[in-house]
Each structure stands twice: as C-alpha cells, then as structure tokens.
Amino acid sequence: VQVVESGGGLVQPGGSLTLSCAASGNIFSINSMYWYRQAPGNQRELVAIITRGGSTNYADSVKGRFTISRDNAKMTVALQMNSLKPEDTAAYYCSADLQQTVIDSVKRYWGQGTQVTVPS
C-alpha cells in the first residue's frame, strides 16, 4: 500500500493551494481519510477528516478556509486551501484508515508529506 501526497509549494499570503493524495496497492476498502500538518518544533496536528460517507470535520484554525473532499472510486482525497496565512506553513501529511483484504483489520497508513510554505 502506498499513500502519496502532491501539490505542496510556496504561495503568497491570501493565496490558494490544493493538495492531493492517492492511495494505491492492495486495498479492499478505505474508511476515514485525513490531512495532518506539522510545523517545525510543533506536534503533528489534525487539519481535516472526511469519512467514507463524506462527513467532514476541521480544526478551528482552518474552518471556513480549507475544504476536504474525496473520490472513493479513485481512492483519493484533496485539501483545498484558501486565504492562506504564514501560520499555515507546515509539512502536510495525508493518512487513510484502510483494510487490505476483507479479513484484515483496519490500519492507518501515512504519506511522506508535502511542504506548504506561506511567507510572512
């Protein structure tokens, strides 16, 4: 199983960026999918979650600015980020709770991260 993020980069304050994440490999089903972020010296924090049915939840710091979405058929999740601020600068990680086969337990898989930088 691989979880791979893409779409990070440098964006000016007030700008927008969309992160994408794709899961691939031997996958039977994917439950919830997540975006986390970690700034230097800080703990990794949950940014957004989306369930298989499409229910979402966001960290207070990004509500109204970020939108998480997924395509179950393509096994992808995206994070649309608007009105970006310098404090959004961090490495962003995608993760997914998935089963590899019908008899396997659900496990969480992580991507390698993609950097988002918003200069002050």
Side-chain angles (χ1 to χ4, degrees):
V1 173
Q2 281 193 311
V3 176
V4 180
E5 306 98 336
S6 61
L10 175 70
V11 59
Q12 294 301 311
S16 297
L17 201 62
T18 300
L19 305 182
S20 300
C21 172
S24 62
N26 186 25
I27 298 172
F28 171 71
S29 71
I30 301 177
N31 295 348
S32 293
M33 303 184 81
Y34 311 82
W35 285 99
Y36 284 78
R37 67 186 180 186
Q38 186 169 19
N42 290 357
Q43 290 188 332
R44 190 170 296 190
E45 64 170 345
L46 178 63
V47 175
I49 175 176
I50 184 166
T51 67
R52 182 172 180 81
S55 297
T56 60
N57 204 2
Y58 299 90
D60 287 342
S61 59
V62 306
K63 279 181 181 176
R65 300 189 298 123
F66 290 11
T67 301
I68 188 171
S69 61
R70 67 187 283 174
D71 184 323
N72 290 334
K74 295 182 179 178
M75 297 190 295
T76 60
V77 62
L79 186 69
Q80 173 68 43
M81 305 184 293
N82 298 325
S83 303
L84 282 161
K85 305 174 181 180
E87 50 264 44
D88 295 318
T89 295
Y92 283 71
Y93 297 89
C94 171
S95 66
D97 293 337
L98 63 87
Q99 286 176 277
Q100 287 197 263
T101 72
V102 66
I103 62 172
D104 284 335
S105 58
V106 175
K107 297 178 183 178
R108 182 165 297 184
Y109 291 80
W110 291 86
Q112 79 290 347
T114 186
Q115 179 67 33
V116 173
T117 301
V118 186
S120 55

